[in-house]
Amino acid sequence: MKTLVFLSFLIGFLLHNQSTAQARAKSFPTPPASSNRLFYIQRSNDANTVIYDANMLSNKKLDPTKPVQVYWIRYAEKGQREDLSSMQWRMAYGYKHSQTSNQANDFDICLNAFRKRSIKIVSQQGKPVALATINGRNACLQKIFVQLAPQSGFIPRVQYIEMFGVDPEHGQSVYERIIL
C-alpha cells in the first residue's frame, strides 16, 4: 500500500513538474518570425534569447563556412540584438559543423555545450529547417529551454534541457526533457 501511494505521489509530482516547466518555457518572449529562423534557446535565469538563423548566401544556399548565424536578443535589457562573446561561443552556444555527404546544402551541427545530439540543417520546401531527434522521433526543432541550477556560480550548472519541435510528417508537437 505504501508503495502504491509513493508511486502515485511520484507520478503526480513528475506530471506537475513537466506541465509547470512547459508553462514556464512558454511564458518567455517569442522571438519575431524570420524566414531563416532555425531555432532558439532560452534559459531559466532571464529572458535573453540565443537565436540560430540559417546563414543564406545570395544563391539561396547555406554558407558552407558558417551555415548558421548565432546571436542574442537581449530581452532583459532593451531587446537589442547582440553578438555572442568569444567565450559564449566556445563554451556554450557556438557549434561545430560538417557538410553531409549526400547533399551539398545540408549540414550537421553540434552545439558546443551539448554534443550528445547533432542537429541537421536541411532545406524543406525551399525553407531551411533544423532537424533533431526529440523523444525518439525525427522533428523540426523549434526551441530549447535550459533550466539552470539556482546559485550555481560563474559557470552555470544545467539541471535539465527541454526540446520542443514539430513532427514534419504529422504536424504534431514533440517534447522531451533531458535531465543532466
Side-chain angles (χ1 to χ4, degrees), residues 103-155:
Q103 292 292 333
N105 199 39
D106 293 354
F107 292 86
D108 288 326
I109 66 168
C110 285
L111 301 179
N112 291 341
F114 191 63
R115 294 185 178 124
K116 292 180 183 179
R117 294 202 191 173
S118 67
I119 300 168
K120 294 192 181 312
I121 309 301
V122 301
S123 181
Q124 287 189 345
Q125 299 164 348
K127 181 185 180 316
V129 296
L131 297 176
T133 301
I134 303 175
N135 205 17
R137 295 169 60 185
N138 188 39
C140 295
L141 178 63
Q142 294 178 320
K143 68 180 174 179
I144 297 172
F145 180 78
V146 179
Q147 178 65 49
L148 299 173
Q151 303 169 346
S152 58
F154 179 70
I155 298 177

Side-chain angles (χ1 to χ4, degrees), residues 14 18-19 26 34 36 57 64 108-109 111 119 123 151 176:
L14 291 173
Q18 178 177 347
S19 63
K26 291 177 186 174
S34 164
N36 292 339
L57 298 171
D108 288 326
I109 66 168
L111 301 179
I119 300 168
S123 181
Q151 303 169 346
E176 180 179 6

Side-chain angles (χ1 to χ4, degrees), residues 3-165:
T3 305
L4 184 58
V5 170
F6 175 74
L7 286 175
S8 296
F9 171 77
L10 181 61
I11 290 170
F13 176 76
L14 291 173
L15 289 175
H16 171 74
N17 275 354
Q18 178 177 347
S19 63
T20 301
Q22 287 174 330
R24 183 176 53 254
K26 291 177 186 174
S27 69
F28 280 74
T30 301
S34 164
S35 61
N36 292 339
R37 177 72 27 84
L38 295 169
F39 63 96
Y40 58 93
I41 296 177
Q42 293 177 315
R43 304 155 310 139
S44 62
N45 63 329
D46 62 36
N48 293 335
T49 301
V50 181
I51 305 291
Y52 292 78
D53 285 344
N55 192 17
M56 306 299 288
L57 298 171
S58 59
N59 64 0
K60 306 284 187 198
K61 302 269 186 199
L62 290 166
D63 183 339
T65 60
K66 189 175 183 180
V68 179
Q69 186 71 18
V70 185
Y71 58 93
W72 288 100
I73 296 181
R74 295 289 197 170
Y75 289 112
E77 296 166 17
K78 298 175 188 169
Q80 75 273 21
R81 178 180 168 151
E82 190 174 296
D83 290 334
L84 298 176
S85 71
S86 60
M87 183 188 291
Q88 290 165 342
W89 177 271
R90 280 191 320 272
M91 301 296 289
Y93 306 111
Y95 63 88
K96 298 208 180 335
H97 72 279
S98 61
Q99 205 162 10
T100 61
S101 57
N102 57 346
Q103 292 292 333
N105 199 39
D106 293 354
F107 292 86
D108 288 326
I109 66 168
C110 285
L111 301 179
N112 291 341
F114 191 63
R115 294 185 178 124
K116 292 180 183 179
R117 294 202 191 173
S118 67
I119 300 168
K120 294 192 181 312
I121 309 301
V122 301
S123 181
Q124 287 189 345
Q125 299 164 348
K127 181 185 180 316
V129 296
L131 297 176
T133 301
I134 303 175
N135 205 17
R137 295 169 60 185
N138 188 39
C140 295
L141 178 63
Q142 294 178 320
K143 68 180 174 179
I144 297 172
F145 180 78
V146 179
Q147 178 65 49
L148 299 173
Q151 303 169 346
S152 58
F154 179 70
I155 298 177
R157 189 174 59 82
V158 175
Q159 290 180 320
Y160 59 84
I161 297 169
E162 293 178 311
M163 297 177 72
F164 299 84

